Amino acid sequence: MALFKRGGVWWYKFYFAGQPIRESSKSMSKTVAKNAEQQRRRELEAGFHNIKEVRQHRIRYLKDVVDEYLVGYKLRYRSGTFATYALGHVSRILGSELVVDIDEATVLRYQEDRLREKAAPKSINEEVRFLLKMLGDLGEVIRARLRKKKQLKLAVRKKIGKAFDTEETQSLTEKAKLSRSPHMYPAFMLARNAGLRDTEIKTLTWGRVNLKARTLQVGKAKSDAGEGRIIPLNSELYEALENHGEWYRKRFGATNDEWYLFPFGKPMPSDPTRHITSLKTAWKTTRKKAKVSGRWHDNRHTLITELAESGAGDETIMEIAGHVDRQMLRHYSHIRMKAKRAALDAALAGRSQSSR
């Protein structure tokens, strides 16, 4: 054991399970520091023997465990972008904690810290999910205890989304065409006329677009059911992709099958072998100029609403849009009923007119 002073406060340093432990006693008394060091050893020993797991793993700083976990995660899954983002916050806030010290109270404090940072409850829930999964057996114990106390997940307000009206859609279309970003208009058309999600758009390659057959095949999707679905191109989307192809060939000389429709590069696209990371800036500018409020995802919601209003059934909607959760399907069923009622009312009004 080694005690040393820093700024008038005693610190202790020792090795446990091969890991250096250096912490403040938070006291100016050397005697208190000695007692704190002994108590800390007892805590570590209790935690070391408590969970039937690789013990060496538990006497490590969480930031090191996060780094190691992400390496394996990126090898197993096609994209580690979201995991890197979520665990980045975990590492930033809890990285200096030893794994053995993480418990339910740690998770609750983490939730509160992120809420103070104005993070969305849904995002915090995902971050906690990654944290507990990464912790293995210890994470399962914490998960079970928090679930029993109904503290595992923060309440998330269910939001159906907004459907843009005809005037809003027209304004957005006009401003998207005038965008400085060559990505904005064709990406907007893919969301508005094919119902593609943000990731499905960003990762779309030319090999999945068949302009001759006027179809596209979705690549990476939110669910297995959505992946590989084939969507017909209506005239508006076909024209947008054809024009985008002409611009693309002038820029890169070809539209190779493995190249992305929306290449990486700032201020102008420069690498077709990598896809863009975000459409947020271009969308924010377009939306502001169009004087329309709403999310990028609302373009997809608008298309699905129109399909429901036209009488398309759940199966047809999912063949085009991919996975749609139950709450959304109930919402679209309600829209279909309203459309049917309006049609019947119009028929009745027409009948009344003709009988006069």
Side-chain angles (χ1 to χ4, degrees):
M1 180 190 77
L3 292 177
F4 59 95
K5 261 190 172 182
R6 180 181 289 174
V9 175
W10 284 96
W11 285 59
Y12 51 79
K13 179 181 178 181
F14 60 90
Y15 282 83
F16 188 89
Q19 180 72 39
I21 309 297
R22 182 168 60 181
E23 298 171 346
S24 169
S25 71
K26 299 181 177 63
S27 174
M28 300 177 72
S29 166
K30 187 174 183 179
T31 301
V32 171
K34 284 183 179 180
N35 291 335
E37 183 270 338
Q38 291 170 1
Q39 177 62 31
R40 186 67 173 120
R41 281 181 178 273
R42 286 193 291 270
E43 289 174 356
L44 290 173
E45 287 167 1
F48 189 65
H49 297 291
N50 191 33
I51 301 291
K52 291 181 180 178
E53 197 178 74
V54 180
R55 292 172 175 174
Q56 203 71 19
H57 174 77
R58 304 203 67 224
I59 309 301
R60 297 177 64 193
Y61 289 106
L62 188 65
K63 62 178 181 293
D64 297 328
V65 178
V66 168
D67 292 342
E68 186 177 289
Y69 178 82
L70 284 174
V71 170
Y73 187 92
K74 290 173 183 177
L75 290 173
R76 293 187 193 94
Y77 303 100
R78 290 170 299 184
S79 173
T81 303
F82 184 73
T84 302
Y85 169 81
L87 288 173
H89 289 296
V90 172
S91 186
R92 174 174 59 84
I93 294 173
L94 299 178
S96 60
E97 299 276 350
L98 288 171
V99 172
V100 72
D101 291 331
I102 295 175
D103 55 16
E104 302 99 279
T106 310
V107 175
L108 293 176
R109 283 199 310 273
Y110 178 82
Q111 291 173 334
E112 292 167 3
D113 287 343
R114 291 290 283 134
L115 284 171
R116 278 190 284 270
E117 293 178 345
K118 306 299 182 184
K122 184 178 179 182
S123 297
I124 299 171
N125 289 341
E126 285 296 311
E127 292 160 16
V128 169
R129 181 179 68 82
F130 271 110
L131 168 63
L132 298 182
K133 183 179 179 182
M134 183 182 67
L135 292 176
D137 290 346
L138 174 62
E140 289 304 312
V141 171
I142 295 172
R143 187 194 312 278
R145 290 173 179 170
L146 288 174
R147 184 182 289 120
K148 186 176 181 180
K149 297 175 184 177
K150 297 183 178 179
Q151 294 177 310
L152 178 61
K153 292 185 177 181
L154 297 172
V156 177
R157 185 165 60 91
K158 288 286 186 179
K159 186 177 181 181
I160 293 295
K162 171 184 178 179
F164 297 120
D165 61 29
T166 303
E167 187 178 328
E168 289 174 321
T169 295
Q170 185 177 350
S171 181
L172 286 168
T173 302
E174 291 171 357
K175 299 307 177 186
K177 279 184 177 180
L178 298 174
S179 174
R180 292 176 60 188
S181 168
H183 301 320
M184 188 68 256
Y185 183 66
F188 173 72
M189 287 290 102
L190 283 165
R192 187 64 187 80
N193 289 294
L196 266 63
R197 297 180 180 85
D198 180 60
T199 300
E200 294 170 347
I201 292 171
K202 291 188 296 189
T203 58
L204 189 64
T205 58
W206 283 108
R208 293 186 176 275
V209 176
N210 189 334
L211 291 176
K212 186 175 181 181
R214 297 201 174 200
T215 62
L216 69 83
Q217 184 179 42
V218 177
K220 182 180 177 181
K222 184 177 181 179
S223 67
D224 292 339
E227 194 163 312
R229 66 187 190 276
I230 296 176
I231 303 173
L233 307 181
N234 63 17
S235 57
E236 191 173 46
L237 178 54
Y238 172 79
E239 184 181 355
L241 292 181
E242 192 174 46
N243 291 338
H244 185 58
E246 290 178 8
W247 169 86
Y248 199 101
R249 284 185 286 274
K250 288 179 182 177
R251 181 74 179 173
F252 298 107
T255 53
N256 292 348
D257 285 355
E258 67 276 13
W259 285 358
Y260 293 102
L261 266 72
F262 305 106
F264 179 84
K266 290 183 179 180
M268 287 295 288
S270 57
D271 186 357
T273 65
R274 299 165 61 195
H275 62 74
I276 56 169
T277 56
S278 177
L279 290 161
K280 286 182 179 179
T281 301
W283 168 245
K284 184 178 179 180
T285 303
T286 298
R287 192 186 64 214
K288 186 176 180 180
K289 289 182 176 179
K291 298 180 180 178
V292 173
S293 63
R295 306 168 302 161
W296 174 260
H297 194 73
D298 290 333
N299 291 306
R300 167 182 162 86
H301 180 67
T302 302
L303 173 67
I304 300 176
T305 299
E306 290 172 345
L307 290 171
E309 288 175 338
S310 72
D314 293 347
E315 187 175 342
T316 300
I317 288 175
M318 287 191 286
E319 284 178 355
I320 294 172
H323 173 75
V324 179
D325 66 38
R326 291 179 182 178
Q327 183 185 11
M328 295 293 276
L329 286 177
R330 285 196 296 270
H331 176 67
Y332 297 132
S333 295
H334 174 67
I335 290 172
R336 278 193 293 270
M337 186 57 67
K338 285 177 64 178
K340 290 175 185 177
R341 184 172 288 112
L344 289 171
D345 288 342
L348 179 59
R351 194 184 311 154
S352 300
Q353 284 287 107
S354 61
S355 63
R356 289 177 184 175

